Amino acid sequence: MAIDFDADLDILLNPNEFGQPAVLGEDSSAVNINVIFDTSFTTIDGFDYAEQSTNLPVLTCKTQDILSFKKGDKVTTGGLAYTIREIQQKEFGLSQIFLYRF
């Protein structure tokens, strides 16, 4: 019996559950998708200096929703504009999009 992960993802990404809407891209290439917005804790080695720690904004979404997007593309969610830093494909049809703001 096959498991329908896609239907489960729709439930998790639903804004009435854990998700929130996001707009990927700009103008005519813009796509509306549902994502889970979170932060990822990271530490940057300062070599001769003290380490610096920060939280990076990260979106979790369906891989199939973002196949045409890449590093440098724009994302808007929660009323804030971001730029894609990196996209990592995970298991079960999910990807994480690491973001940054200037």
Side-chain angles (χ1 to χ4, degrees), residues 38-44 51-58 98:
D38 201 359
T39 56
S40 176
F41 183 79
T42 188
T43 301
I44 301 167
E51 290 182 344
Q52 296 183 15
S53 299
T54 189
N55 286 310
L56 299 174
V58 61
F98 292 86

Side-chain angles (χ1 to χ4, degrees), residues 12-13 18-22 34-40 55-61 75-82 96-101:
L12 291 173
L13 296 170
F18 303 106
Q20 69 182 53
N34 290 328
V35 300
I36 296 174
F37 183 84
D38 201 359
T39 56
S40 176
N55 286 310
L56 299 174
V58 61
L59 303 178
T60 301
C61 60
V75 177
T76 303
T77 188
L80 298 172
Y82 299 90
Q96 287 188 311
I97 304 173
F98 292 86
L99 307 170
Y100 65 92
R101 292 188 67 205

